[in-house]
Amino acid sequence: MAPLLTIDSFSLTFYDAEGGQTPVLDRINLRIEAGETHGLVGESGSGKSITALSILRLLEETNRVQTTGSIVFEDRELTKLDKKGIRAIRGNRIAMIFQEPMTSLNPVYTIGNQLMEPLLLHQKLNKTEAFRRALHLLDRTGIDQPDQRIHCYPHQLSGGQRQRVIIAMALACRPQLLIADEPTTALDVTIQNQILDLIQDIQAEYGMSVLLITHDLPMVRKIANTVSIMHGGRIVEQGSAATIFTRPQQDYTRHLLAAVPDTVQATRLGGTNLIELTDITCTFKMPASWADRLRRRTREIRAVDGVSLNLPRGTTLGLVGESGSGKSTLALCLLGLIRYDGRVDYFPDAAASQCLSDLSTGRFRPLRKELQIVFQDPFSSLSPRLTIEQIIAEGLEVHGLGGSRHERRGLVEQALRDVELDPSLAGRFPHEFSGGQRQRIAIARAIILRPKLLILDEPTSALDVTIQKQVLELLRSLQERYHLTYIFITHDLRTVRSLADHLAVMRRGQVVESGPAAALFANPQHEYTRRLFDAAFYRTEQQQGAPS
């Protein structure tokens, strides 16, 4: 029986406006059998996503490309189909989950409208049937209260919830091949397992195949049958998952496997407290269902519920929990960016203290240079219209630092060197950098102000393992050099285990357990913490024969 998908000696070259050529893919050979999960692994820029986009011929919509070789799906040569033929396959026979959910969803339509679109277009359902199926998909992908969430807009959902909506859209038409480009990047470990179990259930039910593109090597080891390792636009090693992970043949494959963080950070006690949070509570009003609207009722969600924490200066607090548990909301409360009840005490030095919760917006503004944040998605947090120099220098201008333009340029160059980027790149724009480089730029923008506290909201979630390792080493170096205090918000427990001194586990707006990170990882007390750790470590480390 022929494979479901066969890529044979496929090469791709980009052409620029002047006719210049940039080879990207070099003689790719790949086969996916019906019902199989194939993992495609490699560093940023290795060609993984370009390979996926080439299958659906999405690149030629916006770029001048030249291709050679063959891509056969269900005995049809995809490279020779006309536009009508390939559009009949996209989203119907082959679906794709894209990496960045916020840029994949239309901000002016509710998620219900966007979920219904492929059902109306490909399945020819009426609006009532499509709405009912959309509710079912939201429920199956783990979104709570789907009857209310279906009326929300993308910005009203957390990053993990938005990713689940994207997955629901991809599964709507029950495709034969699902291309999953980092499908669990924004999800916590328990939801990751739910999503992976969901995809496997649908595979078993419909015989669906999955091309899994990811930097999460433990996830590939859990679910992939076969694996291809990409580097520099070529597949350098290919085989069964068991063989690749236990007996890798290529140095590059061994390099990737060695980059997975597995060490436990020795707890540093730190100095006196820099931040003290007391009984922080934050409540949001949510869109009501149609029945509630008729009765003129609204619903409130307590996103943060009575949280009290202390943060010793010079240490790293790991803040972990499921999507929607209140981690990012707590950070925004600390920064005074949303309304909350409770008290935030800030101790910039031993002789002074300030209650941030009592400050007006005008009085808080001068302190913002000391309390900085690096957001999860560097592409959407960097202005596409500004050069890197303008982005990094913006904070200096706002706070009146740096004196002349020449002095500010010198500070920008030093900030770029601090994050190990060449200062000669300062004149470029964000789209000219890789994901890892953009995250370094976001860090440079924060540290140029010499903050006392740096909040890192999922700073490595979208990066492959080798770049993750480099960014973590960079953060450790900057912390020692500038005596920084970190709050590290993440769902990646392997990463936080290698970086955090203290750990706080959040669930449904509350801190259910906190303490020294090493002690919590060694002996978690709360049932939810144990379940969270089991989801992150147990299956993979059992396979490796390593203790957690």
Side-chain angles (χ1 to χ4, degrees), residues 159-332:
Q161 290 168 333
R162 287 193 292 265
Q163 189 67 292
R164 277 174 267 176
V165 171
I166 291 292
I167 292 169
M169 291 173 64
L171 298 176
C173 296
R174 300 175 179 175
Q176 284 301 295
L177 174 62
L178 177 66
I179 301 174
D181 191 355
E182 303 286 0
T184 59
T185 291
L187 304 181
D188 56 80
V189 288
T190 54
I191 303 301
Q192 278 184 15
N193 286 340
Q194 293 175 22
I195 293 299
L196 295 177
D197 289 344
L198 170 64
I199 292 174
Q200 289 176 306
D201 287 345
I202 295 175
Q203 271 188 284
E205 187 174 352
Y206 301 111
M208 183 179 71
S209 301
V210 176
L211 176 59
L212 177 65
I213 300 171
T214 184
H215 62 259
D216 189 339
L217 292 174
M219 182 175 70
V220 171
R221 184 168 187 173
K222 286 179 186 178
I223 72 168
N225 306 111
T226 54
V227 179
S228 293
I229 307 296
M230 287 198 74
H231 180 58
R234 302 180 60 199
I235 291 179
V236 297
E237 187 165 359
Q238 205 168 49
S240 69
T243 300
I244 293 292
F245 281 94
T246 57
R247 297 186 302 277
Q249 300 300 308
Q250 299 295 321
D251 289 340
Y252 178 72
T253 307
R254 289 190 283 268
H255 167 69
L256 278 182
L257 296 176
V260 178
D262 58 1
T263 59
V264 180
Q265 167 79 13
T267 300
R268 295 170 295 178
L269 298 178
T272 57
N273 288 337
L274 178 69
I275 297 287
E276 293 180 1
L277 307 177
T278 306
D279 199 25
I280 302 299
T281 300
C282 179
T283 303
F284 294 114
K285 289 185 178 181
M286 295 295 294
S289 65
W290 286 111
D292 287 337
R293 290 177 186 179
L294 290 174
R295 298 182 180 92
R296 296 185 179 181
R297 293 189 305 192
T298 59
R299 191 173 69 88
E300 292 187 341
I301 288 182
R302 187 163 287 191
V304 179
D305 187 5
V307 171
S308 298
L309 286 172
N310 295 332
L311 181 58
R313 64 183 72 244
T315 63
T316 299
L317 170 67
L319 200 57
V320 302
E322 296 180 348
S323 298
S325 61
K327 307 184 300 295
S328 296
T329 303
L330 181 62
L332 296 177

Side-chain angles (χ1 to χ4, degrees), residues 425-532:
L425 303 175
R428 297 187 180 183
F429 292 85
H431 73 273
E432 299 179 80
F433 294 87
S434 69
Q437 289 172 322
R438 286 195 292 262
Q439 197 61 284
R440 289 173 183 267
I441 292 164
I443 294 171
R445 177 176 60 180
I447 65 166
I448 196 171
L449 298 174
R450 298 294 180 263
K452 297 183 184 298
L453 172 67
L454 183 58
I455 298 174
L456 302 155
D457 192 355
E458 300 280 7
T460 60
S461 65
L463 307 179
D464 58 72
V465 288
T466 55
I467 304 301
Q468 278 186 10
K469 186 175 181 180
Q470 294 171 18
V471 171
L472 291 177
E473 290 173 350
L474 171 65
L475 291 172
R476 290 191 189 97
S477 172
L478 292 173
Q479 187 171 40
E480 293 175 3
R481 190 182 312 162
Y482 297 119
H483 308 290
L484 297 171
T485 304
Y486 291 154
I487 295 179
F488 193 88
I489 301 171
T490 185
H491 64 260
D492 187 343
L493 293 174
R494 290 180 176 274
T495 298
V496 80
R497 184 170 68 167
S498 69
L499 190 69
D501 302 293
H502 305 277
L503 195 68
V505 181
M506 291 193 69
R507 186 189 187 201
R508 296 177 182 173
Q510 297 180 331
V511 173
V512 298
E513 189 168 3
S514 63
L520 258 66
F521 279 113
N523 187 25
Q525 299 298 308
H526 196 277
E527 179 185 354
Y528 173 73
T529 309
R530 289 194 293 269
R531 190 164 70 246
L532 202 64

Side-chain angles (χ1 to χ4, degrees), residues 383 386 389-399 445 449:
S383 173
L386 300 180
E389 179 179 353
Q390 292 170 324
I391 289 170
I392 297 175
E394 187 175 17
L396 297 175
E397 296 174 7
V398 168
H399 292 285
R445 177 176 60 180
L449 298 174

